[in-house]
Amino acid sequence: MKANKRTVWFLTLLSLVAVISIYYVKKEAPMPFDGIAIFTKETKDATNLLEKEGKSEEVKPVFAESYIFQDMRMEVRNERSETVQQLTEKMTSSDFTAEEKNEIFNEIAELRKVSSTEALMEMQIAALGYPEVFVRGEGDRVNVTVLSNESHSPKMADEITQYVMSSWDGAQTVKVDFAETKE
């Protein structure tokens, strides 16, 4: 009797494997990637044509100022990750009550919310035409530092201020600083 159950079990698994393998064999690949196609003569000629016709846009990279913003972002990220780590250690400790742990959890959630809001605000302000933006929120204050190619005006600062005030919940004070690129 046991041999009969094993046989049925084996045949069931075998048929399942057969059905799945047939499914994957019959399934059409959406579009296979052909890495060799990148290096064909046609693609090389197309890039050369763009360079000869002068259609390649002149790109002026922004290096030093962008690195400063990246350093500032890393500092803020490191500070917040240390804070989150300390709060997580407190939360896992048995020395705190459930209410205190709940407050700690809410504080961690607020830190993450501020970080994501800052990143979103940086992308949205950059979409307005500024090459590099750094946003830092501290409580009800928001500091925005903008790297600008052109001369800045109070109108530009007002535009950014209004945008931040309308998009950021709880922003009471917005400070906008401009840093000009060195060309």
Side-chain angles (χ1 to χ4, degrees):
M1 193 73 173
K2 282 191 173 193
N4 194 12
K5 284 184 181 180
R6 267 193 226 145
T7 306
V8 170
W9 181 248
F10 177 72
L11 289 175
T12 304
L13 286 178
L14 184 64
S15 63
L16 180 64
V17 168
V19 168
I20 291 174
S21 60
I22 290 172
Y23 171 75
Y24 280 111
V25 167
K26 293 284 186 176
K27 182 179 167 185
E28 293 181 19
M31 178 185 254
F33 175 69
D34 186 11
I36 303 294
I38 296 172
F39 302 106
T40 61
K41 185 169 176 29
E42 293 87 21
T43 56
K44 185 178 178 184
D45 291 341
T47 56
N48 287 339
L49 286 176
L50 286 176
E51 290 173 4
K52 288 177 185 175
E53 293 175 2
K55 289 186 178 179
S56 62
E57 296 179 11
E58 188 173 326
V59 178
K60 294 182 181 178
V62 179
F63 291 112
E65 294 87 355
S66 182
Y67 286 135
I68 292 171
F69 284 176
Q70 290 298 329
D71 289 342
M72 291 177 2
R73 283 188 193 102
M74 288 301 292
E75 287 175 20
V76 170
R77 187 177 300 140
N78 289 339
E79 287 174 15
R80 288 192 179 142
S81 67
E82 288 175 10
T83 305
V84 167
Q85 184 178 5
Q86 292 170 355
L87 291 173
T88 304
E89 288 173 5
K90 285 181 181 179
M91 199 165 63
T92 57
S93 171
S94 61
D95 298 338
F96 296 95
T97 64
E99 291 176 6
E100 291 172 333
K101 288 182 180 183
N102 192 26
E103 289 175 14
I104 292 171
F105 180 78
N106 290 338
E107 196 173 334
I108 291 172
E110 185 65 27
L111 281 173
R112 290 188 176 143
K113 180 181 175 186
V114 167
S115 294
S116 63
T117 304
E118 287 173 352
L120 180 65
M121 198 62 54
E122 286 176 0
M123 288 189 302
Q124 291 174 341
I125 293 173
L128 294 175
Y130 301 102
E132 190 71 35
V133 181
F134 175 70
V135 178
R136 171 102 193 244
E138 298 172 357
D140 62 347
R141 295 190 56 173
V142 179
N143 296 325
V144 180
T145 306
V146 178
L147 188 63
S148 177
N149 296 4
E150 55 207 44
S151 63
H152 51 277
S153 67
K155 182 180 177 187
M156 295 166 76
D158 286 341
E159 176 186 15
I160 293 171
T161 302
Q162 290 298 321
Y163 190 74
V164 171
M165 293 287 275
S166 66
S167 301
W168 192 307
D169 293 335
Q172 299 291 325
T173 308
V174 177
K175 180 182 173 190
V176 179
D177 294 323
F178 286 94
E180 292 186 24
T181 60
K182 298 172 185 170
E183 297 185 56

